[in-house]
Amino acid sequence: NGCGTAAQAAVQAEPPNCQLPTRCASTGGERQDWRLFGSDSAFRLLGSGSEYERRHFHSTKTLDVCYCLSACTTATNWFKVGRVTHNQYRLVEVSGSSFGVVNVQGMLAFKRTTSTDDHIGLTSGSVAKLLQEGDLEFTDAKCRSEAFDSTQVGLAYSTFRDSYQAQPHPSDAMQLEFNGGSATRLFSPRRAGILAVCYCRLAACGETGDDWHLAMRLTVRGPNRLQSWTVSVGLPFRLSYTGFGLRATDTLRVIPPSKTCDTSSNNPIAEESMQTGCPFACTQIDNSGGGTMAVAQKL
């Protein structure tokens, strides 16, 4: 294991602890029956490299835990007493219920590994907190201090925490799903953009506090909200709009002012006073026979 000669692992972000292989500051206290390392400054592991690589590295890391009783400047007095497994945060796509499209219900799920068994993180009953990103400024500290964004999912934090605690998939324990144990309990993001996904391993985690950590970021696809246009009657026009993750397969529909986008199970009729294909092949919108307007998008 090389306990007496190996340098402290580079993934240990806090506390500084070991300046040299045989010169470490954390003592674990005065008691002889047990020692607590990290009571003053908790241990924190973080991968190296880019932001993505620090949190989502592809291979689980196993670290030896070394200990010395006395005369610790002598390399031979260091010996291995255990090991720590450093696991990554990874999203997993849930078949038929993937989370990440505005106003479309889905399920948030993390990928676990076999090394996650009996682990203090990625456990049953843990909770997530979604926060709207601005300029990718979120850190662990902001996850601890920022309140839950109830406008993003339409639920108060206490309701979301109690109803959407993480549970392993019934037939795949390596898939941790935030659904409270019900495969039909989904939720939908209400605004497109980049979300910071904060994670707490405790079921009773408060809305803010030291147990929150930044797990990952994800993009919710869809148009930006509250965009508006002014056009002239009888003249051809083109609608341009902005958003996140827009695709050439997306379509657009203009509906009557008396309807809303969630009318008829998110399938409202189109505004029949409009024509498409203009100016050379104008076609009147016709809702009879179940016809609908679905204008193709061009990026």
Side-chain angles (χ1 to χ4, degrees), residues 16-289:
N17 197 25
C18 298
Q19 298 178 349
L20 296 171
T22 58
R23 187 179 297 173
C24 301
S26 186
T27 63
E30 300 290 334
R31 292 182 57 162
Q32 296 183 350
D33 56 339
W34 65 282
R35 295 292 176 96
L36 177 61
F37 295 89
S39 58
D40 295 329
S41 179
F43 283 84
R44 178 169 164 273
L45 304 179
L46 196 63
S48 58
S50 68
E51 176 71 15
Y52 176 87
E53 292 165 335
R54 289 201 299 270
R55 301 181 189 276
H56 316 300
F57 48 89
H58 287 257
S59 299
T60 298
K61 306 177 187 298
T62 301
L63 311 175
D64 288 339
V65 178
C66 300
Y67 184 75
C68 173
L69 288 169
S70 60
C72 296
T73 56
T74 303
T76 54
N77 288 340
W78 287 87
F79 55 94
K80 178 179 176 179
V81 294
R83 67 178 185 176
V84 171
T85 301
H86 186 201
N87 287 295
Q88 63 276 62
Y89 292 114
R90 302 288 296 275
L91 278 176
V92 62
E93 184 172 334
V94 180
S95 178
S97 303
S98 296
F99 179 84
V101 180
V102 67
N103 287 336
V104 175
Q105 289 195 327
M107 187 183 300
L108 183 68
F110 287 177
K111 181 67 176 178
R112 303 202 298 178
T113 66
T114 53
S115 61
T116 326
D117 294 342
D118 197 28
H119 192 261
I120 62 173
L122 299 183
T123 55
S124 299
S126 52
V127 294
K129 177 169 64 173
L130 304 178
L131 300 172
Q132 196 81 27
E133 278 270 24
D135 297 319
L136 303 182
E137 78 280 12
F138 269 83
T139 61
D140 288 336
K142 292 209 72 171
C143 276
R144 295 167 188 150
S145 63
E146 292 287 324
F148 180 76
D149 186 358
S150 60
T151 62
Q152 180 60 264
V153 295
L155 296 170
Y157 171 69
S158 58
T159 302
F160 186 83
R161 178 194 61 193
D162 297 341
S163 300
Y164 292 90
Q165 291 184 1
Q167 296 294 333
H169 188 280
S171 60
D172 183 3
M174 297 301 98
Q175 189 164 295
L176 191 68
E177 301 174 343
F178 292 87
N179 59 11
S182 172
T184 60
R185 186 171 295 150
L186 311 175
F187 63 96
S188 58
R190 296 188 172 189
R191 296 194 306 277
I194 300 174
L195 294 184
V197 181
C198 304
Y199 176 79
C200 178
R201 62 185 178 86
L202 305 175
C205 213
E207 193 168 356
T208 59
D210 292 340
D211 292 301
W212 287 103
H213 300 277
L214 176 64
M216 62 190 68
R217 294 178 173 90
L218 62 85
T219 299
V220 175
R221 295 200 313 106
N224 293 323
R225 301 177 67 196
L226 304 178
Q227 299 180 67
S228 62
W229 304 265
T230 300
V231 298
S232 299
V233 175
L235 295 179
F237 64 92
R238 176 180 296 168
L239 289 180
S240 296
Y241 60 98
T242 60
F244 290 81
L246 302 177
R247 299 176 179 176
T249 53
D250 296 341
T251 57
L252 179 141
R253 182 181 303 174
V254 179
I255 64 175
S258 60
K259 305 295 182 181
T260 61
C261 290
D262 56 3
T263 299
S264 301
S265 301
N266 296 321
N267 189 28
I269 61 173
E271 172 56 56
E272 292 188 337
S273 66
M274 291 188 62
Q275 295 178 331
T276 59
C278 296
F280 303 112
C282 295
T283 301
Q284 191 72 37
I285 298 297
D286 183 6
N287 290 307
S288 63

